[in-house]
Amino acid sequence: MSSSEPTIAELMARCTRSAVHLEMRDHYGVAHEAADFRAWLETGQLDDDPASPDWAPWVDLVSQALARGVSVRRARIVSEPVSDYIWYEHASTMVNVQAGEEVRWLPRRRASDIALPGNDFWLFDDRMVRWGYFSGNGAMVGHEISDDPSAAKLCAEAFEVVWSRAVPHAQYEIR
């Protein structure tokens, strides 16, 4: 993984039409949210303030993209009953929605016949893929940027099928 590769923020800033994100894991062990997840497990409380230091950079990034006319969508394929992590993620998604992201949830049983890439991804303007690589316990272990047209096509097609079947965030009931 080259340090010269653009970050998500840089890719989002260059984006002119669309940014889509497909998440397919039932648990992410992302270091920067570990304390918040642990607190939520213990107390049911979480950081849902769009202006908080943890959320503000993302909210600003999405807001700037939307102001340029970029559509920002996120879809999550989840097992049911959901894991504690997905329950937590669902609870915090209100901030993503408040920022202007469209978010949908697809129960995994409804994804069996979809040709899906092997990893989570961001797809920018239907041409630039940012693969996300995670360890078995959900820790981020790296990413890779690809402008391969066949990879972008696979991601775009998979995302659109997932999106068409998925339930909008406001209507998805945790099970």
Side-chain angles (χ1 to χ4, degrees), residues 138-158:
M140 170 62 82
V141 295
H143 64 271
E144 182 178 6
I145 305 293
S146 172
D147 61 0
D148 174 25
S150 62
K153 183 177 187 273
L154 171 66
C155 291
E157 290 174 353

Side-chain angles (χ1 to χ4, degrees), residues 57-128:
W58 182 252
V59 170
D60 290 345
L61 190 63
V62 171
S63 297
Q64 291 166 14
L66 293 171
R68 292 191 319 274
V70 174
S71 166
V72 182
R73 297 183 294 162
R74 179 185 306 254
R76 294 177 171 137
I77 299 174
V78 297
S79 299
E80 292 179 328
V82 300
S83 67
D84 286 345
Y85 181 85
I86 294 300
W87 194 289
Y88 158 79
E89 196 171 50
H90 186 271
S92 65
T93 295
M94 70 180 87
V95 180
N96 298 80
V97 172
Q98 288 171 355
E101 279 188 70
E102 294 180 73
V103 180
R104 293 188 181 180
W105 304 80
L106 182 65
R108 192 170 308 282
R109 71 181 181 283
R110 297 190 57 215
S112 297
D113 62 345
I114 302 172
L116 296 167
N119 293 287
D120 289 10
F121 64 85
W122 275 96
L123 178 63
F124 299 94
D125 291 335
D126 292 323
R127 62 178 182 75
M128 183 71 62

Side-chain angles (χ1 to χ4, degrees), residues 18-38:
S18 64
V20 300
H21 186 35
L22 183 60
E23 300 175 13
M24 299 181 280
R25 298 180 56 88
D26 287 320
H27 180 81
Y28 293 89
V30 182
H32 76 269
E33 66 184 20
D36 194 49
F37 178 50
R38 197 169 30 259

Side-chain angles (χ1 to χ4, degrees), residues 48-60:
D48 60 0
D49 178 4
S52 75
D54 287 337
W55 279 108
W58 182 252
V59 170
D60 290 345

